[in-house]
Amino acid sequence: MTDRIEPPSAADTPPAPRPPRWWLLLGRDRLAAVAAAVLTLVLLVALSGRLFIGDRAQRQDLRASLRPPSLDHGVHGLLGTDVLGRSVLARLVDAAGTTLSVAVPAVLCSLVIGSALGLWAGYHGGVREGVTMRVADVILSFPSLLIAVVVLYVFAPSAMNIVLILAVTRVPVYLRTARAESAELRSRLFVDAARTFGTPSRKIIYWHVLPIVLPTLLTVATLDFCFVMLTESSLSFLGIGIQPPDVSWGLMVAQGRQYLGTAWWIAVLPGVAIVLTTVSATVLAAWARLATDPAQRWRLTLPRKRRGATAVPTEMMQ
């Protein structure tokens, strides 16, 4: 009589390997880790830097006008002074808070409004989708920078007006992205199953569609943050953005452009801050897109020399 072979029990089955933590993945990518460190530093400076500089960003000293960067006059003279003797280091710290206080709210407002409308229109389709997309097309037909210039020229330039204008002009970016993703997901089997069991549409969108679309939206938001910050800097450079006595990086570049031949640090250093912040956000967005996609996350676990390969690992094909 042959012995019966018992199937393996659940207790004998080895547990599935857990995906690596996001900070471990970030540590394996040196470029993304440096970008994250730069953005973290900028955020910390923007949030708490003003507590340490006091009124140094606005304090004038004509005897210290156009001093070059050095340590001879203390920490505040490390990056030199402008034509009114104000510390460029203190003004960079103060401008970081102003620039992020415009860019971050504008991106968050456009992300929330555009994503909500796009998910709603893409899931329901029909007339609602058509009307929503035509409104987005109308907004996109006008360059966002041109709209901002016209509106800020008619109304008083202020941080609140800049946030509102940039938020409205960037809504179609998230609306179109969310609409495309939601329209593709509404015919998936898990959405049909939830609809069959009588789940309301708003709960299907929130619990089933949004988690899948969210990584793409966050990646778009990170890239859009760069565009919004550059737009704010451009408006301040043109003189219709942030107004004195407030200061932003774009306004610092505008105020220092006439001294490029004699005091380059006034305009170059805030320009470097803008470039470093936007490049770091772009690099981190590319990393986050891979880290949040289960189908692409394995690329981050490979050695850096092999990440350019397009072959799928053998274990993923089984």
Side-chain angles (χ1 to χ4, degrees):
M1 184 174 181
T2 57
D3 295 334
R4 226 166 88 188
I5 300 177
E6 297 291 338
S9 60
D12 299 330
T13 305
R18 297 179 60 184
R21 303 290 184 179
W22 65 267
W23 56 83
L24 297 178
L25 294 175
L26 183 61
R28 294 176 180 177
D29 194 324
R30 295 180 181 177
L31 189 60
V34 171
V38 171
L39 290 179
T40 302
L41 178 62
V42 171
L43 183 61
L44 290 177
V45 168
L47 293 177
S48 59
R50 292 173 177 173
L51 300 177
F52 299 97
I53 63 173
D55 63 340
R56 296 287 304 190
Q58 306 298 336
R59 189 186 303 175
Q60 301 180 10
D61 185 4
L62 297 181
R63 294 173 298 179
S65 176
L66 300 180
R67 282 179 177 171
S70 68
L71 282 173
D72 297 338
H73 304 283
V75 178
H76 292 288
L78 179 63
L79 300 181
T81 59
D82 63 1
V83 67
L84 297 178
R86 296 172 295 191
S87 170
V88 174
L89 176 61
R91 289 177 67 79
L92 280 175
V93 172
D94 191 18
T98 304
T99 300
L100 293 189
S101 68
V102 172
V104 173
V107 171
L108 289 179
C109 291
S110 56
L111 171 63
V112 173
I113 297 174
S115 301
L117 291 176
L119 291 173
W120 173 77
Y123 178 82
H124 292 286
V127 177
R128 285 171 280 193
E129 181 181 13
V131 172
T132 305
M133 294 308 298
R134 296 298 77 76
V135 173
D137 292 339
V138 170
I139 298 176
L140 285 176
S141 63
F142 298 95
S144 57
L145 183 59
L146 178 60
I147 296 177
V149 169
V150 172
V151 173
L152 291 175
Y153 183 79
V154 175
F155 299 96
S158 64
M160 181 60 66
N161 289 339
I162 296 174
V163 170
L164 292 177
I165 294 169
L166 294 179
V168 171
T169 55
R170 303 310 295 171
V171 162
V173 175
Y174 304 96
L175 194 155
R176 294 166 68 94
T177 303
R179 197 279 311 174
E181 295 281 344
S182 180
E184 192 273 333
L185 291 172
R186 70 185 176 190
S187 59
R188 294 286 187 89
L189 184 60
F190 62 91
V191 175
D192 289 336
R195 193 183 300 116
T196 302
F197 282 102
T199 307
S201 299
R202 63 180 183 277
K203 291 188 176 181
I204 295 177
I205 295 174
Y206 183 78
W207 291 109
H208 299 288
V209 178
L210 179 60
I212 300 177
V213 182
L214 189 59
T216 302
L217 293 175
L218 292 179
T219 304
V220 174
T222 307
L223 295 174
D224 198 47
F225 168 79
C226 303
F227 178 85
V228 170
M229 192 175 70
L230 291 174
T231 302
E232 183 277 325
S233 300
S234 302
L235 293 173
S236 299
F237 182 84
L238 294 174
I240 55 176
I242 301 299
Q243 300 296 308
D246 294 330
V247 60
S248 70
W249 287 338
L251 183 60
M252 291 183 66
V253 174
Q255 292 175 343
R257 69 183 185 275
Q258 56 183 328
Y259 302 102
L260 282 174
T262 56
W264 57 267
W265 55 88
I266 302 177
V268 170
L269 293 180
V272 170
I274 294 173
V275 172
L276 284 178
T277 305
T278 52
V279 170
S280 299
T282 304
V283 171
L284 195 61
W287 173 87
R289 185 67 187 93
L290 294 178
T292 54
D293 189 351
Q296 299 292 330
R297 191 182 298 131
W298 61 271
R299 294 180 181 273
L300 298 177
T301 63
L302 295 176
R304 188 168 185 81
K305 294 181 180 179
R306 296 180 54 194
R307 288 182 189 173
T310 57
V312 180
T314 306
E315 57 269 17
M316 293 190 63
M317 299 294 294
Q318 296 177 354

